[in-house]
Amino acid sequence: MMVEISVASTVEVDHAVKQNAAVAIGVSGGKDSQAAALATFAYLDAKGHVARVL
């Protein structure tokens, strides 16, 4: 099942993602931060990001 995910971003972040900059995701372990991390992974995949994600 495909789920469309909407992620808020900025021009600077979009540019960095296009340049395949490394991405660090901070999570607390709670449901909200886990959902945000999963949405970020989906966003990066959709943008063709291939650099390191921490």
Side-chain angles (χ1 to χ4, degrees):
M1 170 173 39
M2 277 302 260
V3 176
E4 184 149 343
I5 296 174
S6 177
V7 175
S9 185
T10 65
V11 173
E12 295 84 4
V13 169
D14 290 339
H15 180 71
V17 168
K18 274 187 185 174
Q19 299 299 315
N20 285 308
V23 175
I25 302 171
V27 295
S28 65
K31 292 177 187 175
D32 291 353
S33 63
Q34 290 175 15
L38 291 172
T40 302
F41 288 132
Y43 166 78
L44 293 172
D45 287 345
K47 296 294 182 180
H49 185 263
V50 296
R52 191 167 182 188
V53 179
L54 309 170

